[in-house]
Amino acid sequence: MSEPKKVGRRTFLNYAIAVVATGVIVGAATYFAAPKAVETVTAPGTTVTTTKTVTTTVTGTPTTSPTTSPTTSPTAVPWEIYFPRADRILSEWELKWTGWGAKYLTKTDWVRSIDWGKIKPRFSGETVTMACEGVDISAPQTFKPAFEGLTGATLQLFGIPTETFHEKLMAEFTSGAGRYDTAELFGAWAQDYFPYMTDIRPFATQYGIDLRDIHPVFRMMNTGPNGELLGLVEDADLHVFIVRKNLLEKAGLDVPKTWDEVLEACKVLKPIGEKEGWYPWIIYFCAKGFLTFWYWENIALQFKDVTLTRPDSWEPNFIGDEEGGVRALEIIKELLKYSPPGNINNTYELGREQWLAGLGAMATSHQCWPRQSFDPGLSKISPLTTDNIIEIHPYPQGTTRREPCNWTTTYLGIPKTSKKQELAFLWSVVMCSQESSLLMGSHGTGVESGFVSVISNPEVWKGQPAYKAVWESAWTAATEPFVYIPEAYAIEEAAGAEIYRYLEGSVASAKEALKNAEDKVRSILQKAGYLEAGKKPPPYTVEEFCKLHNEVNPKP
Amino acid sequence: MRKLNLGLLLSIPALIYLFFWLFFPFLYNIYASLYYWTMYNPNIKFIGAGNYIAAFADIDFRNSVFATFFYTVICYMVELPLGLGIAVFLSRDFKGVGIVRLLIAIPILMMPIGVSVMWKLLTMPKIGLLQYFSEVLGFGVIDFYGNFWFASLLILLIDAWQWTPFFAIVLLAALLSLPREPYEAAKIDCASSFMIFTRITLPSIQPVIVIVSILRILDLMKLSDPIFTITMGGSGTETLSAYIYRVAFKPLDIGYGGAVAVLYWILMYVLANILVRRFRSVIQ
């Protein structure tokens, strides 16, 4: 038997170097030998033609679905080139959902109203940076080629983990490092960012951007006391009420309109769900924290005596003169009985997964739950592939009808430290235009449109049914007053923790829990000086907001 | 004298490193804890012991101290005997023992948050495998995320699944390094297996048990991954680490978070000292 041949260290290294070198040479040869795709891009709304070289493969050309090609303007850009993924989805949906297609494309889209032909020579070769939540990075990535094609500039994206996004941004802004030209910002904590952001209105005026197409409800949190707007709205969500109507029909129930009816329906549905493996309600809290507070205030505001603060002061008013707040908290405790075990500590994401997995008959949520319910790729209850009937309605009522106040708005802000603010603004326009937002919505990622021209369009409702409920709800909306002060997050966290105590059973009565929450919030407000005489919260209903800024409330 | 100077000179880089990365942040944290100081509010106010008083007044803080000790004790009580048992079993020579020793180490190599997510998937109502068996056996759906006792059981399971092998591997190394002679002598004297274990094995590996216990107890005092994953700190399961994260990083409250961190450090320091002093003779 011959002894196996030993490979020496030097021989091994030689072989390894040879393999790496061969790889590099072959790779380089392939790169340079590959034919370059030459793509002609016509800037929207203009006749200026520019040429750029791309090395990526563009899928989903306009030929995949002729009906989705825009026919409204002879100079219109074939948008499918810019939005290949969206186009693929749209063409799929077109087959199944009539009316969903080219009709939504609008001439008033901001991207179309800008003369990109004049812009490109000015910014070609420059680089603009953006900080975004890592989980959302697919959104800017989708529009990056479009922006780079239109401006000739390069966009650099920095994804930051969601869990640490807020504190990292704050550290960035407070240090004045100026690393980012644009940053994705969460509207609920806009006050934290205000001191570091640029007012975008002068840029909007310069480029003829009509900001009033963003529904006032989605501008309120990002608007300063003098009307300054700290970013274009990227993602706009309202809370809606979703039901699997087929399950209700099977139990002989109509869609509940009030919270009392919801609880009655839960009672009837529970035994049926136990047999079939689902629960009447899906709830999420994320344990003690702001989400618990949000969940409560959404329901509490359906009781007219609850106003969160007294009308003429910052004094908390959670309980209400007729104890509407108490009733709201009791409703949540009841709902917990009809939810999957453990939902008291459920995260928002897990709640959504439970809903999409078909574990619930009813729920309240942002629009992403219902939107994703329809997508067979994301949902087990899609009406496109199952017998489920999913309906989206405005929130159930208490003693009044108000839109839940904690809509979420994500916006693209431009830090004062940015040296490329104009280019950063142009990126915001591409990322946050009417069509971009609608196309992002069609991805089912949860990024939704907040434009009046989009959410009020009945054609759009066919593909995005939640928008109808949003449009019907948005004009009655109010925000919580706390979002106008930098202590918002601390207040929500503190109040959420107190409210949670009643739900977990460590505080015996709902009233006591709310009283404790009021005390905690009062203490924070006191420390920060808001309870001093004469100080009162700014207007926080859509109607008041419109009045203050001389706008017409876009009631449906 | 010259030698001393050279020694000091050579220590300077290490001292600088220690100052900037250890002492300075620590002292700065104590300084911050005396202020009302949040990242979003430029007005910083000196409030003395205000944050410390607020911490002691907060029921969540007190509960989190309890939860921290509770999980430390129950996890340790389960993991040590189990780990010792596995170590004794693996110290024997049988076919495939090498593979088993390798497999037993796998949980330690996994990311703690990933392990917690895996267990969460196993216990998800109507979806998880464990819930399926529970329903088949007639126990119904178990509330592993909302009920303190079941949630604690799951947290214990997760921690034990991941960290029992740590005890097992370290104790196995200790067992394999023991000399054979005392065992042979004991066998000649007709000592039972139990006597051999209690009179020879345990005393021989006692220093290792003590060291591994101190390391593990101090590590358990920092338990947070399964808490975040399973309950988000709800239903009475919030440990001190989870509490500090919630009160410091979420609302960006540097002052209060700093105060709680200082209290946490004091607790850990005292505990570590008690453990080391109590078992110093054994270790030495």
Side-chain angles (χ1 to χ4, degrees), chain A residues 163 166-167 170-171 192 277 279 286-288 341-342 344-345 347 350 359 486-487 489-490 493 500-501 504 527, chain B residues 36 39-41 45 59-60 120 124-126 141 143 145-146 231-236 238 245-246 250-252:
Chain A
E163 295 77 14
H166 181 59
E167 49 262 41
M170 287 304 291
D192 292 0
Y279 296 87
C286 244
K288 38 190 126 168
I344 187 171
N345 297 325
T347 59
L350 190 56
L359 283 195
E487 287 74 13
Y489 192 79
E493 282 281 311
Y500 179 84
R501 278 185 232 292
E504 72 168 356
K527 240 190 254 179
Chain B
Y36 170 66
M39 264 179 90
Y40 51 78
N41 195 331
K45 275 188 230 164
I59 189 170
D60 282 349
K120 187 153 191 175
M124 214 166 268
K126 305 283 179 195
V141 178
D143 186 356
Y145 315 145
T231 62
M232 296 296 293
S235 303
E238 192 171 51
Y245 173 75
R246 181 166 67 82
K250 289 178 89 186
L252 300 170

Side-chain angles (χ1 to χ4, degrees), chain A residues 44 62 65-73 76-83 86-87 90 94 99-112 143 213 433-440 442 453-454 457 459-460:
Chain A
S65 174
T67 51
T68 60
S69 301
T71 53
T72 49
S73 163
V77 169
W79 280 93
E80 294 83 350
I81 290 170
Y82 293 142
F83 308 113
D87 173 62
L90 289 177
E94 177 72 20
W100 177 255
K103 288 173 193 167
Y104 70 83
L105 292 169
T106 161
K107 284 180 188 173
T108 59
D109 181 70
W110 290 344
V111 181
R112 290 166 187 276
F143 302 105
D213 195 28
S433 78
Q434 289 89 335
E435 290 181 12
S436 310
S437 68
L438 185 54
L439 286 158
M440 275 314 297
S442 73
S453 59
V454 175
N457 186 341
E459 290 301 321
V460 172

